[in-house]
Amino acid sequence: MPIFEFACNECSSKRFSELVGVLAQTSPIQCPQCGSQNIRKLVSRFARIRSLDESLENLADMADRVDDKSLKSVRGLMKEVAGGMGDDMSTDDVEEMIEAAAELE
């Protein structure tokens, strides 16, 4: 059974995943936050399984190339780091942190 990502149109919750039956779905999919069935299916990114060492090496290479005086460059690196953390941190969370930091300057 495939896993699909959804977003709620009612409460604007962040993405949530649902294991969906191929032949017959026994119950309608609901938002886990508000219970609404007014949801939309999202297009998921393709995932390639890499070892932890390979992921860390890739991030280290990116960090070596980042221009620390360029907010755009740092933002791109932070999004990659967030993407590597899986569900622990989203790119939206990173954007919020970067915007908050920019307001402090």
Side-chain angles (χ1 to χ4, degrees):
M1 287 194 280
I3 298 174
F4 291 103
E5 289 184 306
F6 298 91
C8 181
N9 294 320
E10 297 294 326
C11 71
S12 300
S13 72
K14 294 186 181 192
R15 294 175 182 228
F16 63 94
S17 301
E18 192 74 32
L19 186 64
V20 179
V22 176
L23 298 177
Q25 182 66 23
T26 56
S27 60
I29 298 170
Q30 296 179 337
C31 173
Q33 192 167 17
C34 72
S36 172
Q37 294 179 9
N38 184 8
I39 58 172
R40 64 186 183 280
K41 187 187 286 187
L42 302 174
V43 177
S44 302
R45 290 189 293 170
F46 176 80
R48 181 175 82 86
I49 298 174
R50 295 187 284 188
S51 70
L52 179 59
D53 288 340
E54 186 180 6
S55 296
L56 291 175
E57 284 178 20
N58 184 40
L59 288 174
D61 290 342
M62 290 180 69
D64 288 341
R65 293 187 307 266
V66 76
D67 176 8
D68 61 355
K69 300 201 181 353
S70 165
L71 181 59
K72 183 177 180 180
S73 183
V74 172
R75 178 177 277 149
L77 175 63
M78 293 306 298
K79 284 184 178 181
E80 286 295 321
V81 170
M85 295 181 72
D87 291 336
D88 294 338
M89 179 180 282
S90 71
T91 55
D92 291 338
D93 295 334
V94 171
E95 281 295 326
E96 288 174 17
M97 289 188 298
I98 291 170
E99 294 302 321
E103 290 175 7
L104 295 175
E105 291 181 356

